Amino acid sequence: MSILHQLRTNDMVNIDQFLQLVIQSSTDNIHYCYRQHDTYYFWIDQKSTRGVDISFGHEKIEIKNTTLSNPTDLLLTNILVEILLQMVDGTIVNEAEEYVALPIFTEEIIREICSIDAHTLLRLSQTNEEVTIYGPIRKTYFGKSMYKRLVPYENQLFVLAEKIEEVILKVQYQLPDYEYGNVLEVQYDAHPLVMKLLTNKTNCIVDKYDYILIEGKGKAPLMITNAVLNKIQPESWSLVDAYTMVAPRVTTSEWNAFVTRAAEFDQFENFKQKKADS
């Protein structure tokens, strides 16, 4: 669920000037990028979970906040709207066409929004294996496995919101500077499958894939899923959310033990046969 506001105005906005004023407006490290169709995306480095979209149209400017925007994002929205209203004459309306007083997001409103979003994510995670949240840098994954970590806070919704924010911020900004490694795309049944090849040659970050290939002792790689990996991972690897895993190199003995565990769940031969039959 998104929160949409519009700035109604007859004035033209000098977008370059607006962007310059945004950068100068705060000591925080505000970033922006152009998306498409006169839409710009703004976020604060190290602090934003979701960012803010602003679309410039004829006689209206749309401001969009997405689910699980954190207080940083909502306060950033206030800053962006304030700058726009310094440049043009206009009024702010919500989706119900009601006029909105400034600031759009007060402390009380922010707490309410964050609490509602946290409760929504908790319920979605209770019934879904995967709930994907797109952040400024990368995806964060929630779902049934994360539900177990979050449910103790279900009666303290704002605390729950803070715990969710911690997970998103860690995935966005606090992972080590590892590569994503070898990622392959395989055509299967007219649909491409994305696969990750895991070796013990480099440190890497593991994302969500259709299958994970593991370099083993034989010619063919072992093939497992993220769900299996999450159960048999080497002890020194850490699962940050439902699927994102920090996977540093391990000792040869640790790697061989991991390969042995993975072999019990290998799906390579079944996959090869299904591909041959398709």
Side-chain angles (χ1 to χ4, degrees), residues 27-67:
T27 55
D28 283 317
N29 196 4
I30 300 178
H31 289 237
Y32 69 84
C33 66
Y34 177 76
R35 285 192 161 172
Q36 59 180 350
H37 307 306
D38 291 324
T39 296
Y40 288 79
Y41 175 65
F42 299 85
W43 75 99
I44 294 181
D45 189 39
Q46 304 298 318
K47 295 182 178 180
S48 284
T49 56
R50 296 285 269 158
V52 184
D53 284 310
I54 295 187
S55 301
F56 294 89
H58 179 63
E59 296 185 349
K60 67 180 181 180
I61 300 168
E62 184 176 90
I63 302 102
K64 180 180 179 182
N65 300 97
T66 49
T67 302

Side-chain angles (χ1 to χ4, degrees), residues 85-139:
L85 288 173
Q86 290 172 0
M87 300 178 66
V88 299
D89 290 326
T91 55
I92 303 293
V93 298
N94 59 23
E95 291 180 87
E97 299 289 324
E98 300 166 333
Y99 290 105
V100 177
L102 299 181
I104 294 177
F105 298 115
T106 62
E107 183 177 346
E108 182 181 357
I109 292 173
I110 289 172
R111 288 184 67 89
E112 180 182 2
I113 290 170
C114 291
S115 297
I116 291 171
D117 286 354
H119 181 262
T120 300
L121 179 67
L122 187 67
R123 295 281 76 85
L124 287 172
S125 295
Q126 184 180 13
T127 56
N128 293 274
E129 293 293 340
E130 178 185 337
V131 180
T132 306
I133 303 299
Y134 291 83
I137 308 299
R138 54 177 64 89
K139 301 172 187 175

Side-chain angles (χ1 to χ4, degrees), residues 259-275:
V259 170
T260 299
R261 293 194 298 273
E264 298 177 22
F265 302 92
D266 183 27
Q267 300 181 29
F268 186 80
E269 290 301 324
N270 288 339
F271 175 81
K272 190 169 66 172
Q273 186 60 48
K274 288 180 181 178
K275 195 171 189 302

